Amino acid sequence: MAVTVHCSVVLLHVLLFVVLLLFTSRAQEQQSLGSFKFSGPDVNSEESESMHMPDYLKCDACRIIAYQFTEKLTKVTRKGTKTLSESEIIDSFEEVCESSWDDYGIKEVESIKRLSGPGIETKDVPGVMQGGGKWPYRLKEMCYDYVGNTGEEELYDIFKSKKTLEKYLCKDAKGPCHPKNLKVKKVEPEEKEEL
């Protein structure tokens, strides 16, 4: 009887070992076929603590703000059929700057830290976005900077002209997306914890 129990235990161990080998080889095979790994971006003290937008994210931030300005003005002018009064222009820009910026955050895209959210192509790139924190405040601050430095009526005139707000604010010689001003921050490759 002891021999039968001993054989059963040995057989059970062999069976468990075979199942474990099959499961491990199947998992490795699936991983080599193309699995996705997502992890949140590593943020440094500037990204997590500073009240100001990091220089290397200002191009994305500018494009996001220009997108929000354009969306709002398109909506209130009913696609260009209505000319806005001065108070409507001021109210429109203030509504954009005071709106919630909670849909935006930082994401790693092709090993580069980028902002992500509505109006920018990084929104559709798979990955984990870290939002909230200081990002909404930073976008709001930049929004008011653009309005204060340029003026609501001039921004509205640009919107009505054939030149886009994105090109005017972001891509012209003084804009953060102009090649001489553009900054990016590559992410250093390192082992990341999988989610």
Side-chain angles (χ1 to χ4, degrees):
M1 175 122 177
V3 172
T4 306
V5 171
H6 179 67
C7 286
S8 296
V9 170
V10 170
L11 185 59
L12 182 61
H13 281 120
V14 169
L15 184 61
L16 285 172
F17 180 73
V18 169
V19 168
L20 182 64
L21 279 176
L22 287 173
F23 181 74
T24 304
S25 66
R26 171 72 85 191
Q28 288 174 344
E29 180 181 310
Q30 287 177 345
Q31 188 175 19
S32 68
L33 291 177
S35 63
F36 288 102
K37 295 179 189 176
F38 292 113
S39 62
D42 291 329
V43 292
N44 61 31
S45 61
E46 179 186 20
E47 295 159 347
S48 65
E49 302 301 323
S50 174
M51 296 305 285
H52 303 287
M53 186 67 69
D55 286 343
Y56 52 89
L57 295 173
K58 285 185 177 177
C59 176
D60 286 343
C62 182
R63 293 180 58 223
I64 288 166
I65 293 164
Y67 169 79
Q68 291 296 332
F69 285 160
T70 301
E71 288 293 299
K72 179 65 175 181
L73 293 172
T74 300
K75 184 177 177 182
V76 295
T77 59
R78 295 183 209 110
K79 298 188 180 178
T81 60
K82 177 184 175 191
T83 300
L84 299 180
S85 69
E86 182 179 347
S87 64
E88 289 174 314
I89 294 168
I90 292 169
D91 288 347
S92 294
F93 284 101
E94 187 171 336
E95 284 177 29
V96 170
C97 292
E98 282 298 321
S99 66
S100 171
W101 298 93
D102 291 336
D103 292 341
Y104 297 96
I106 190 171
K107 178 193 289 187
E108 288 180 19
V109 178
E110 297 178 6
S111 298
I112 297 174
K113 290 183 181 181
R114 302 277 311 271
L115 288 179
S116 182
I120 193 162
E121 69 280 353
T122 55
K123 178 182 185 239
D124 299 324
V125 176
V128 177
M129 179 183 82
Q130 179 189 3
K134 305 237 187 299
W135 301 113
Y137 173 80
R138 292 170 181 157
L139 287 164
K140 179 179 177 177
E141 176 188 48
M142 281 188 68
C143 182
Y144 276 118
D145 285 347
Y146 285 122
V147 171
N149 292 334
T150 307
E152 293 93 338
E153 289 189 38
E154 185 174 343
L155 289 170
Y156 179 60
D157 289 341
I158 297 298
F159 168 75
K160 291 189 317 183
S161 74
K162 294 185 189 262
K163 191 173 188 180
T164 67
L165 285 170
E166 181 178 331
K167 183 173 181 181
Y168 177 78
L169 292 173
C170 311
K171 296 181 179 177
D172 277 358
K174 292 182 182 178
C177 300
H178 189 275
K180 71 179 175 105
N181 302 327
L182 187 61
K183 296 175 174 65
V184 295
K185 182 170 187 172
K186 288 212 176 226
V187 178
E188 297 300 321
E190 60 183 77
E191 282 298 311
K192 289 193 170 190
E193 189 175 309
E194 290 183 36
L195 294 178

